[in-house]
């Protein structure tokens, strides 16, 4: 029997979810209906995927007893209000990243879900794909020996030259760490385990950004969040890792993620994808060599975490992308910003178990 999904938010990211839920996961998931503050977006989403029911607002969607999981695809600064309302309505929720715009928002959502007895899970789910799962297997099987260090980098000049509606990336709840950091931090936690403490430095290079993409060409956006964050992470197992996310870099030629051990290194594929090239370095080979993917889901499988959540409800287990993981990632990311402000190390209080291997 398929798990029934209600979708709140029909913006850009909704397209791949709608496509995969009605295609890749059609045997396990079913969309009850959609809603959006802009009716034309909901109508477009509905018509493009079998004339789905359009709810007048999220509260009507929450009131539908057939909806089992609410898929929250709203903008980052709206995640808290939508998720909290769904939880209070007694619904399980899968939210796009980040869980909340602040650690306090995340804590309130975690506590509310526990009180209501509902599951809360969320993006990113890319770590469940073939690329990172293959890397995890290589690490767990000792191909690089004992992990000792890792690096992660995502950097671009920003979204204002190409994104159709880039303003929210520079507003509360935005910024490169809360936007792209979830992919990188989640991947590292999946590979290496929980983080125990962090430190960070953050800066804002420009007070405003000029949008040059359509349809908002010429609009000046006030920057309300740091646009370059450099952080250090210490893991419970002793590994140290550096991570940089930035909207201030024109171009770079550095790897997305690398994990280094006592007997080798792994070049991890882009954690914003499900597949990608895995490259393994062993001293006897003297070079990085491509390693074949050994798990399923190498293609764009957005919704894989939602599908796993639906399975978890039936199997009476925790979702792999569940609240323990996504709250921990939020605590780490906001910890970088707090460390920068307070000029000190920040201890991470949450200690989730690594999600089960796929």
């Amino acid at each position: 029997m398929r798990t029934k999904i209600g979708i709140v938010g029909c913006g850009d990211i909704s397209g791949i979810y709608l496509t995969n839920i009605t295609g890749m996961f059609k045997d396990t998931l079913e969309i009850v209906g959609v809603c959006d503050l802009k009716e034309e977006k909901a109508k477009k989403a509905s018509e493009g995927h079998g004339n789905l029911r359009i709810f007048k607002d999220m509260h009507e969607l929450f009131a539908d007893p057939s909806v089992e999981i609410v898929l929250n695809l709203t903008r980052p600064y709206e995640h808290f209000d939508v998720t909290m309302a769904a939880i209070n309505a007694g619904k399980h929720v899968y939210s796009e990243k980040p869980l909340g715009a602040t650690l306090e928002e995340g804590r309130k959502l975690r506590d509310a879900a526990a009180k209501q007895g509902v599951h809360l899970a969320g993006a990113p789910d890319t770590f469940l794909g073939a690329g990172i799962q293959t890397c995890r297997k290589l690490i767990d099987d000792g191909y690089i020996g004992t992990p000792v260090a890792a690096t992660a980098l995502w950097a671009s000049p920003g979204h204002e030259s190409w994104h159709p509606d880039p303003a929210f990336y520079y507003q509360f709840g935005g910024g490169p760490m809360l936007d792209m950091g979830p992919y990188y931090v989640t991947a590292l936690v999946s590979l290496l385990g929980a983080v125990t403490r962090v430190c960070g430095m953050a800066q804002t290079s420009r007070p405003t950004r000029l949008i040059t993409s359509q349809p908002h060409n010429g609009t000046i956006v006030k920057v309300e969040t740091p646009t370059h964050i450099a952080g250090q992470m210490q893991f419970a197992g002793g590994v140290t890792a550096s991570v940089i996310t930035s909207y201030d870099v024109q171009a770079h030629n550095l790897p997305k993620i690398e994990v280094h051990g006592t007997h080798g290194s792994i070049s991890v594929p882009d954690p914003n994808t499900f597949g990608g090239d895995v490259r393994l370095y062993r001293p006897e080979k003297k070079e990085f060599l491509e390693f074949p993917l050994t798990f399923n889901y190498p293609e764009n499988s957005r919704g894989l975490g939602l599908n796993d959540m639906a399975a978890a409800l039936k199997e009476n287990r925790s979702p792999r992308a569940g609240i323990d993981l996504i709250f921990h990632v939020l605590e780490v990311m906001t910890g970088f910003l707090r460390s920068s402000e307070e000029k000190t190390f920040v201890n991470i209080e949450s200690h989730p178990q690594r999600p089960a291997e796929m």
Side-chain angles (χ1 to χ4, degrees), residues 39-320:
E39 186 178 356
E40 63 273 18
K41 287 189 175 184
K43 185 176 180 181
K44 181 178 179 181
S46 171
E47 293 175 347
H49 296 87
N51 291 317
L52 302 168
R53 177 181 174 185
I54 299 176
F55 292 95
K56 67 179 181 180
D57 57 32
M58 66 180 185
H59 300 290
E60 183 182 46
L61 185 150
F62 301 157
D64 188 322
S66 69
V67 173
E68 297 172 80
I69 300 176
V70 172
L71 177 56
N72 182 358
L73 302 182
T74 59
R75 295 183 179 184
Y77 59 83
E78 298 168 325
H79 286 177
F80 176 78
D81 288 341
V82 174
T83 298
M84 183 62 81
I87 289 171
N88 288 336
K91 300 296 185 182
H92 305 293
V93 181
Y94 186 95
S95 174
E96 250 303 322
K97 49 80 185 170
L99 171 64
T102 66
L103 181 61
E104 185 58 27
E105 285 189 354
R107 186 176 288 113
K108 288 179 179 178
L109 292 172
R110 179 192 63 183
D111 294 347
K115 183 178 179 181
Q116 287 284 355
V118 298
H119 280 289
L120 176 55
D125 55 2
T126 46
F127 76 97
L128 300 174
I132 293 173
Q133 288 292 306
T134 297
C135 292
R136 172 177 170 150
K137 182 67 172 172
L138 288 170
I139 292 171
D140 290 353
D141 286 353
Y143 276 75
I144 64 169
T146 301
V148 295
T151 61
L153 170 69
W154 183 88
S156 83
H159 294 63
E160 59 270 27
S161 66
W162 63 271
H163 196 282
D165 194 15
F168 72 91
Y169 287 104
Y170 301 100
Q171 297 169 349
F172 175 72
M177 183 55 71
L178 289 182
D179 173 33
M180 296 303 297
Y183 298 108
Y184 289 77
V185 177
T186 300
L188 289 170
V189 171
S190 175
L191 295 172
L192 301 170
V195 179
T196 58
R197 69 171 180 163
V198 302
C199 65
M201 298 182 71
Q203 66 186 50
T204 303
S205 63
R206 288 171 277 166
T208 61
R209 296 277 179 141
L210 173 65
I211 298 176
T212 57
S213 59
Q214 296 297 337
H216 302 292
N217 183 28
T219 301
I220 296 176
V221 176
K222 181 180 179 181
V223 178
E224 301 173 352
T225 183
T227 52
H228 185 96
I229 299 97
Q232 291 291 128
M233 313 158 69
Q234 186 167 53
F235 292 80
V239 179
T240 58
S242 61
V243 58
I244 293 174
T245 60
S246 180
Y247 290 158
D248 297 329
V249 174
Q250 292 300 314
H252 70 85
N253 195 33
L254 296 173
K256 303 290 187 180
I257 298 178
E258 286 187 345
V259 180
H260 309 287
T262 54
H263 294 95
S265 297
I266 293 177
S267 179
V268 181
D270 184 347
N272 192 17
T273 65
F274 289 81
D277 295 334
V278 173
R279 296 189 301 125
L280 175 67
Y281 179 92
R282 294 278 297 179
E284 62 271 18
K285 297 295 184 181
K286 303 299 183 184
E287 62 179 324
F288 279 93
L289 296 175
E290 188 168 342
F291 193 92
L293 301 181
T294 55
F295 286 79
N296 295 325
Y297 299 106
E299 63 277 90
N300 188 341
S301 305
R302 286 286 197 284
L304 180 57
L306 174 65
N307 192 60
D308 177 74
M309 183 184 191
L313 295 179
K314 291 180 169 61
E315 297 165 8
N316 194 29
R317 62 170 172 85
S318 297
R320 287 178 170 85

